[in-house]
Amino acid sequence: MFWWVVKAIVGPLLVIIWRPENRGMENVPEEGPAILASNHLSFADHFFGPWPLRRRIVFLGKRDYFTGKGIKGWFSRMFFSGVGVIPIDRTGGKASEEALATGLRVLREGKLLGIYPEGTRVPDNRLFKGKTGVARLALQGRVPVIPMAMMHTFELMPAGSRPRVFGLPGRPGVRFGEPMDFSEYYGREDDREVLRMITDKIMMAIRELSGQEYVDRYAAEVKAEAAGRAVRKDDDEE
């Protein structure tokens, strides 16, 4: 319910201020389960991505959004719960299996499941290597994957900044590609080579929509290096 309230309030503001340019909404099924796999450029993706669809997208989000304290923490929990974000632990191992189970439950309920295969907001305007959890979900859930490309939201709202209105390279928005059918690989969700191949195909489909430069590295590794932190080895199946 809260999501429709947010949409009714925020939607008109998006149109008036930024005039979003959206394409391919006809590629998203009107009913039944599907995975929407998107690049992740900005916090603004939470608004510009789902807005043009009639159906609600349920996203898996990091648990940090729900553990803050004080008024800011309360608002964060209310907002992310209201717009359909389900908190998950993304530290790998058993946590990854719990995230997979949560995603499968959403799909079995016949809903649209939104996933950011890069695993985090990117450090720059490029497209980074995807994690294979999206492929595993597609095979175990036996659902199509719809590539989804956010456009110009990185420039609109870089990490730690307020939204920009002027000086953008183009109108922000989202593009949805044609559904990708991986039914020929059903039953092979434990084959790491198959999972890697499917994930790479999904990332290339996103790149075709977005026009981004592709980087064959995990975004989390690049962000850690830039911050001078030790690089944690990412679990490829998150």
Side-chain angles (χ1 to χ4, degrees):
M1 178 66 180
F2 184 64
W3 163 238
W4 299 110
V5 174
V6 172
K7 186 170 182 176
I9 296 173
V10 176
L13 293 177
L14 298 183
V15 173
I16 293 171
I17 298 174
W18 287 285
R19 299 184 301 120
E21 185 175 56
N22 307 308
R23 301 178 187 174
M25 284 77 77
E26 68 278 3
N27 290 319
V28 180
E30 295 185 1
E31 59 183 17
I35 294 173
L36 280 78
S38 176
N39 57 347
H40 195 12
L41 302 175
S42 166
F43 181 80
D45 298 341
H46 294 293
F47 299 99
F48 285 90
W51 179 76
L53 297 179
R54 296 180 181 179
R55 296 182 64 184
R56 177 174 163 183
I57 306 174
V58 177
F59 280 93
L60 302 182
K62 61 182 179 180
R63 190 160 291 167
D64 295 1
Y65 291 147
F66 297 82
T67 58
K69 298 180 180 180
I71 296 177
K72 184 177 180 180
W74 176 85
F75 179 81
S76 178
R77 288 192 296 275
M78 286 291 295
F79 172 78
F80 285 105
S81 296
V83 298
V85 175
I86 297 178
I88 59 171
D89 186 343
R90 302 192 307 191
T91 55
K94 184 179 178 181
S96 297
E97 294 302 319
E98 293 176 356
L100 175 67
T102 301
L104 288 172
R105 175 175 58 81
V106 171
L107 293 171
R108 287 171 184 148
E109 291 173 353
K111 299 177 181 178
L112 294 178
L113 177 65
I115 296 178
Y116 298 118
E118 292 163 295
T120 185
R121 277 181 285 177
V122 295
D124 52 53
N125 210 358
R126 298 178 294 175
L127 183 70
F128 289 79
K129 186 176 182 178
K131 298 184 178 181
T132 58
V134 61
R136 184 181 291 273
L137 277 168
L139 296 187
Q140 286 195 224
R142 302 201 168 196
V143 296
V145 177
I146 300 167
M148 175 178 168
M150 302 307 307
M151 306 296 298
H152 304 304
T153 54
F154 182 84
E155 298 91 346
L156 184 151
M157 192 177 180
S161 301
R162 294 182 178 181
R164 293 174 54 194
V165 177
F166 304 105
L168 299 177
R171 289 160 59 186
V174 60
R175 298 175 181 175
F176 300 96
E178 295 183 1
M180 304 177 73
D181 180 7
F182 297 110
S183 57
E184 63 181 297
Y185 301 106
Y186 288 170
R188 300 181 65 183
E189 55 268 17
D190 293 323
D191 188 326
R192 294 181 67 87
E193 291 186 3
V194 168
L195 296 179
R196 184 74 262 161
M197 178 269 295
I198 290 174
T199 303
D200 289 344
K201 283 189 175 182
I202 293 170
M203 300 311 292
M204 292 306 101
I206 295 173
R207 184 180 71 168
E208 287 189 14
L209 290 170
S210 68
Q212 291 171 279
E213 176 187 348
Y214 178 74
V215 181
D216 193 28
R217 294 187 64 195
Y218 293 115
E221 294 178 352
V222 176
K223 289 169 73 172
E225 288 181 0
R229 301 192 305 268
V231 179
R232 179 179 67 86
K233 180 176 175 56
D234 283 271
D235 183 349
D236 196 36
E237 297 185 3
E238 287 186 41

